[in-house]
Amino acid sequence: MAIRYAIRPAHPGAHLYHVTVTLAQPDPAGQRFMLPAWIPGSYMIREFARHIVRLTALASDRKVRIEKLDKHTWRCARADGPLTVAYEVYAWDPSVRAAHLDETHGFFNGTCVFLLALGQEKNACHVDILPPAGRKFVDWKVITGLAPARGTQRGDFGTYVARDYDELIDCPVQMGTFAHARFNVLGTPHEIAITGHVPKLDLNRLTTDLAKLCETQVRLFEPRTKKAPFDHYAFLTTALADGRGGLEHRNSTALMCKRDGLPFAGMKDTTEGYRNFLGLASHEYFHSWNVKRIRPAAFVPYDLMQENYTRLLWAFEGFTSYYDDLLLARAGLLTEPQYLDVLGQTMTTVMQRSSRLKQSLADSSFDAWIKYYRQDENAPNSVVSYYQKGALVGLALDLTIRASTKGRKSLDDVMRLLWARWRNSPASYPGVDEDGIVEAAETATDLKLARAIREWTEGTRDPDFAALLAPFGITCERRAALDQPHFALMGIKTAGTAECRVTNVFDGSAAQEAGISGGDALVALDGLRITPGNLDPLLTRYHPGDTVELLAFRRDELMRFGVKLGTQPPPKFRLKPTTKAPKSALVLRRGWLCN
Ligand SMILES: [Zn+2]
């Protein structure tokens, strides 16, 4: 029997949704309800139940007693016949992981607003998505991956359906007045909605570029059928002054981007900001295959009450990060030099941090819940990014396979093998077990890759990028990073608009040696005032080995530090095509970047 949900933005000004869930056949022993503790794709316990303000239950017009069993579970007293639970959800988290509502728009993930009726997880769900009351909301529209029920037009308020609870919470909903466009990818309808004021937005360019990108991805996974793994796809986008984030779903994604990152009428180039936006869209779209369908066994099914541990996020997030930019290049949205620049930047970021020598990618994946998602000022020295270093392992593996097989095989074949296993039996799909990536890589290529992959992921060995890139006619230049004196000479990162606050102190740096700490507010350098914007100009007159006096506030106490400026600046990597590369290298490179 289908479960009936209804959600209404009841008080946009107070950020409150009113939600009801009605069960025709509640558990006779007392129906239990649960709200997820986390949202798949974002590996941190978030305890969404804390945003439920009040909750009541009714059966046959009579109030039913509700008991709280633990932080996210409720049990209703025995009720005969249909049981309705009604509750308010406070929605004022602007991220893609939660729920948000004001008088300009609404956004929610089902994990924040839809109670799960325990024991009825597999039942179909109908959800009435209702508009806010009042004339000023009459133009509001809806965008979601949920399918409209008969009688509801896609884009309108009305009834939407999901096969089960898992699908219901995997289809976020955005509502409001937004810029909107439809486009087609190899026969599959796609749409994008952008909330937030973006003057002169060039929707035409945006959809043309997204269509190219999506088509490249569908062709990668399905070179023969060219069929996307869904019937419809939606990009739910929020444009802001600042911020970046994305969350993947089975047939949609929620994106948050900088307003300046979207194309405007007359914009000719692909700006850094737009490249960033396309990279984000590419990343989340690639997840439609890698993590939403091809999944770690630990996520089949998701346990929404607690942490789900896997040591493989370097493949599910890292390989996705490797492909996000690579596929921009293959789609013609990045030139070869632009793509090599991006790769060089990723190498620079990873290789500048000592964390990569202390934590393996597999350990970082396992501890994502308490480390990657809960980074503090010491993170560059202790937490390796399974995104960025995982992307470099994806690169290393791809280059190894291509060079060893003279371009006949690649990481694409590994992804296609993993994909075929899901596609051939989605209903009984067991997931990728913890050795499954190594196994698939060897099976798809007939190469012995286990040792190298394990050294890169279970150990902390850096891939030898110069040696790996050489057969492709690309040189990997390592230089001293001197462009940011506060980082190069002192080994700190700073932030702040009112004061110059240290955010990170890097291992082995001059600042660490002198005792400067994350959180310190820097106020003077050799007797001159430090402002949020002038530390680099102040430092340009100094050289490695010089000693400076630095004053800072810590806990409101003035501290004095003698800092001997670093003589070993951090490394910076730049990738360049080799002049006069042999033809074989050009063929390999073309196969990699232009496939
Ligand atoms: Zn991701």
Side-chain angles (χ1 to χ4, degrees), residues 163-376:
R163 202 171 309 129
D164 52 23
Y165 184 79
D166 192 45
E167 179 169 301
L168 178 70
I169 59 165
D170 200 17
C171 298
V173 175
Q174 190 172 338
M175 55 178 77
T177 50
F178 32 62
H180 179 260
R182 291 193 172 84
F183 58 101
N184 204 286
V185 178
L186 296 163
T188 302
H190 285 54
E191 60 179 325
I192 179 165
I194 296 158
T195 295
H197 182 46
V198 186
K200 294 195 154 210
L201 173 67
D202 188 348
L203 264 179
N204 203 18
R205 164 132 190 225
L206 190 57
T207 51
T208 307
D209 289 350
L210 282 176
K212 279 187 209 160
L213 170 64
C214 297
E215 179 171 336
T216 304
Q217 298 205 10
V218 175
R219 284 178 186 275
L220 184 151
F221 282 99
E222 288 288 355
R224 202 172 51 80
T225 67
K226 300 177 187 55
K227 207 177 155 351
F230 33 69
D231 301 326
H232 172 268
Y233 192 90
F235 290 92
L236 284 56
T237 313
T238 302
L240 304 164
D242 209 355
R244 181 181 197 265
L247 196 61
E248 65 275 12
H249 300 283
R250 66 185 63 191
N251 66 343
S252 66
T253 178
L255 305 175
M256 205 166 81
C257 67
K258 280 169 87 156
R259 186 174 290 125
D260 296 346
L262 294 168
F264 51 87
M267 182 178 105
K268 294 269 183 309
D269 306 329
T270 297
T271 59
E272 175 81 14
Y274 186 40
R275 188 197 67 67
N276 239 302
F277 172 79
L278 289 172
L280 178 67
S282 180
H283 183 95
E284 305 308 342
Y285 196 78
F286 194 84
H287 272 316
S288 308
W289 292 270
N290 195 33
V291 99
K292 289 317 297 187
R293 291 177 174 83
I294 306 166
R295 282 188 201 183
F299 293 175
V300 184
Y302 294 119
D303 180 346
L304 297 167
M305 310 286 267
Q306 59 189 354
E307 293 86 348
N308 292 202
Y309 295 105
T310 173
R311 299 175 67 76
L312 292 179
L313 293 181
W314 54 268
F316 289 94
E317 287 299 346
F319 288 6
T320 302
S321 297
Y322 168 57
Y323 274 107
D324 60 26
D325 289 322
L326 175 62
L327 294 175
L328 293 187
R330 286 197 194 154
L333 299 168
L334 277 187
T335 62
E336 185 179 301
Q338 282 172 327
Y339 177 64
L340 294 180
D341 266 356
V342 171
L343 266 188
Q345 284 167 25
T346 307
M347 277 180 202
T348 298
T349 307
V350 172
M351 300 296 283
Q352 284 180 344
R353 299 176 175 205
S354 65
S355 54
R356 73 183 203 287
L357 303 171
K358 299 178 190 167
Q359 189 191 37
S360 72
L361 283 173
D363 286 345
S364 181
S365 302
F366 190 86
D367 272 338
W369 305 84
I370 57 164
K371 293 198 172 182
Y372 187 81
Y373 271 92
R374 291 169 69 179
Q375 297 190 21
D376 60 20

Side-chain angles (χ1 to χ4, degrees), residues 30-37 47-50 52 55 66-76 115-119 121 303-306:
Q31 180 63 48
R32 287 178 304 140
F33 293 93
M34 183 275 281
L35 199 68
E47 295 159 332
F48 297 116
R50 73 190 197 277
I52 291 191
L55 187 137
I66 304 174
E67 179 189 6
K68 192 102 192 257
L69 299 181
D70 62 31
K71 61 185 175 181
H72 39 219
T73 316
W74 294 258
R75 183 170 57 205
C76 293
L115 287 177
L116 165 64
L118 289 166
E121 294 84 348
D303 180 346
L304 297 167
M305 310 286 267
Q306 59 189 354

Side-chain angles (χ1 to χ4, degrees), residues 452-532:
I453 298 176
R454 293 215 170 94
E455 282 182 356
W456 294 330
T457 60
E458 292 286 341
T460 55
R461 189 162 77 91
D462 294 325
D464 183 347
F465 297 113
L468 288 164
L469 287 161
F472 295 78
I474 294 168
T475 46
C476 180
E477 203 180 270
R478 183 187 166 120
R479 287 193 289 184
L482 298 170
D483 42 352
Q484 294 176 312
H486 70 281
F487 181 52
L489 297 174
M490 292 176 57
I492 57 170
K493 296 274 180 185
T494 64
T497 47
E499 56 188 3
C500 181
R501 193 167 282 276
V502 177
T503 51
N504 309 100
V505 177
F506 283 64
D507 258 355
S509 65
Q512 193 184 53
E513 191 60 32
I516 294 166
S517 170
D520 288 352
L522 305 182
V523 291
L525 179 93
D526 277 351
L528 290 177
R529 177 178 174 163
I530 295 173
T531 67

